[in-house]
Amino acid sequence: MLPLALGAAWRKPTLLRCPRLACSTSTAAWTEEWRRLGLGAKSASEATNRTLNRLMFVQCGFGCDQHGDRASGGATQAAVRACRNAIEFNSIPGMVDHVPGGRHAMLIKVRLGVPDGYNVDHDQIRATFPYGNLLPIEVIPGGLTYASGRVVTELGDTDDTAVIVAAAVSIGYHDPSFKGGTVHDSRDK
């Protein structure tokens, strides 16, 4: 029964359809849109010897993948979700003004806590970021697996294993005049 205060104004909720491809939650969909717009993070070449020594932004995220074939040891979907979770509600307009070379020169450092025995497709992680230069991704033991209690074969499940990945995303730039060493330091190695 409807509350009287709502009266005739109450309407059944409807899902809004987004006509733009970018509204999709599919990594491939927004990666393709970014490509059409000339966006997308590049892999920072290790040969350039650039380090993230001017740290400007650090954010953490969490990603879970409850379905899919785990036979190949994949935690990629959970890792992509963790990276998206770390950056999706942030806006960093100051990068254009404060990073020499603007947002296309910024460096991105990703550190992922992934359950032992699972792997991550680094190209799909890179595709998560709309601009910048992705430094080599660091994958360390972490995250967890658990029994979801449900096997959905239509989604590729071979068992009920769910995978959780934690991500730390750091953003900044390389300042060649900085003589103080590397600011971005992982103290728990």
Side-chain angles (χ1 to χ4, degrees):
M1 173 166 295
L2 293 176
L4 292 176
L6 291 177
W10 183 86
R11 300 232 190 283
K12 182 179 176 183
T14 59
L15 294 175
L16 298 176
R17 297 195 189 277
C18 185
R20 296 188 44 148
L21 186 59
C23 295
S24 173
T25 58
S26 162
T27 304
W30 29 264
T31 300
E32 181 56 36
E33 174 133 338
W34 289 345
R35 190 177 356 270
R36 282 197 318 268
L37 296 172
L39 297 173
K42 312 289 185 250
S43 293
S45 170
E46 292 184 57
T48 63
N49 199 27
R50 293 189 301 174
T51 58
L52 179 61
N53 63 6
R54 293 293 189 186
L55 184 61
M56 300 182 76
F57 180 85
V58 179
Q59 193 65 322
C60 297
F62 160 90
C64 180
D65 185 10
Q66 295 185 40
H67 300 287
D69 181 6
R70 304 281 181 241
S72 63
T76 300
Q77 187 62 44
V80 165
R81 288 175 178 162
C83 290
R84 290 292 302 169
N85 182 243
I87 67 170
E88 67 189 347
F89 298 110
N90 298 293
S91 177
I92 48 174
M95 285 301 203
V96 174
D97 300 325
H98 299 292
V99 172
R103 67 180 183 217
H104 296 289
M106 79 176 190
L107 297 176
I108 305 165
K109 174 66 178 166
V110 174
R111 188 171 195 212
L112 300 171
V114 177
D116 283 332
Y118 287 83
N119 56 45
V120 173
D121 181 337
H122 292 212
D123 287 334
Q124 287 192 41
I125 300 302
R126 182 185 46 75
T128 303
F129 300 94
Y131 43 75
N133 295 284
L134 185 64
L135 295 169
I137 297 169
E138 184 180 1
V139 178
I140 64 168
L144 65 92
T145 61
Y146 67 94
S148 69
R150 176 79 56 185
V151 176
V152 182
T153 56
E154 295 85 0
L155 294 175
D157 293 355
T158 56
D159 60 25
D160 69 343
T161 302
V163 178
I164 293 178
V165 172
V169 178
S170 304
I171 297 173
Y173 64 98
H174 177 74
D175 181 355
S177 67
F178 182 66
K179 302 296 182 209
T182 302
V183 172
H184 179 64
D185 183 23
S186 179
R187 306 259 180 216
D188 63 348
K189 287 186 177 181

